[in-house]
Amino acid sequence: MTGTAAGLRVAEARAADADTGAEVAAAVHAVLGTSLGDVVLAATVGPAGAAITHLRLPHGDGSAAGPGPGMRVDVADEPVLAAAAEQLTAYLAGELREFDLPLAYAGTDFQRRVWDGLRRIPYGSTTTYGDLAATLGLDPRTTARAVGAANGANRIAVVVPCHRVIGADGTLTGFAAGVERKRELLDLEASVTGAATLFGGVTASGRPRPPGSRDGIRAARGTRPRRPVDNRRLF
């Protein structure tokens, strides 16, 4: 597709206010073939700029990622999608550790707080839901489940690295794209950093988890963490 045709294609996706005729933001998406399968990248574009809204991986059962919002375009049609594609490709090649993309979250204030916390987990590190809650200034005993739910609601996989959160006993849990893809992402980061293993290695702040920490003791004893109390009040 030529540059002119590409520009027209994206322009078609943009809407105008019925009363003023002013351009308003609209959604576009593209599909990128990767080593993880076909990834759906989506963005909102408008007069205020463009930002990534979704990065969807194929489902754990092997089925394709859900359809993206708005009109489908070629990756090269919209600069922010092209940037996301370039950075994701570099990340999967082990050549990029930190994404630099404008993001547009769609969620509650609590979810946004958790997603910001996810972005602070260092590359090549893992944390637990309880440790992530503590890093956010929350009581892990009452909020770990809510943090886990917000983690699962993340729509911008990899860029907002929800794959770096694991179970308190070191097991891989809760990843819509499947545990094997989660392991693949963690193994990739471990190979780049030279870490022997990432599971249970550090806290969300990047500090090593002490051998005698509560999570470490649970893992050693094989006990299950205490069930959090009802935390619906957070929302």
Side-chain angles (χ1 to χ4, degrees), residues 148-163:
N151 190 71
N154 172 34
R155 298 180 180 180
I156 313 177
V158 184
V159 177
V160 179
C162 54
H163 62 278

Side-chain angles (χ1 to χ4, degrees), residues 30 43 61 80 106 114 120 135 138 151-152 229:
D61 61 5
V80 74
V114 172
R120 291 193 291 270
T135 300
L138 304 169
N151 190 71
V229 298

Side-chain angles (χ1 to χ4, degrees), residues 39-212:
V39 172
V40 174
L41 300 170
T44 179
V45 294
I52 296 297
T53 59
H54 296 75
L55 193 160
R56 291 176 172 167
L57 303 177
H59 298 300
D61 61 5
S63 60
M71 177 181 288
R72 178 171 176 173
V73 299
D74 290 339
V75 169
D77 288 358
E78 172 55 46
V80 74
L81 293 178
E86 180 179 6
Q87 291 184 34
L88 179 61
T89 300
Y91 167 85
L92 293 174
E95 300 169 353
L96 180 76
R97 298 192 181 196
E98 186 173 343
F99 290 86
D100 182 19
L101 296 167
L103 305 181
Y105 293 154
T108 66
D109 289 342
F110 181 82
Q111 288 174 326
R112 291 166 183 259
R113 184 177 178 184
V114 172
W115 299 335
D116 283 338
L118 291 174
R119 297 185 71 192
R120 291 193 291 270
I121 303 174
Y123 179 98
S125 301
T126 59
T127 191
T128 67
Y129 298 109
D131 281 343
L132 179 57
T135 300
L136 296 172
L138 304 169
D139 185 346
R141 296 169 298 178
T142 59
T143 62
R145 181 184 292 179
V147 167
N151 190 71
N154 172 34
R155 298 180 180 180
I156 313 177
V158 184
V159 177
V160 179
C162 54
H163 62 278
R164 295 178 190 156
V165 184
I166 61 176
D169 60 357
T171 58
L172 303 186
T173 60
F175 197 56
V179 170
E180 287 308 310
R181 282 197 181 89
K182 183 169 186 172
R183 185 183 303 279
E184 184 177 347
L185 293 172
L186 293 176
D187 285 348
L188 166 67
E189 296 184 5
S191 69
V192 172
T193 60
T197 178
L198 294 178
F199 307 144
V202 300
T203 65
S205 62
R207 297 189 300 271
R209 182 176 295 112

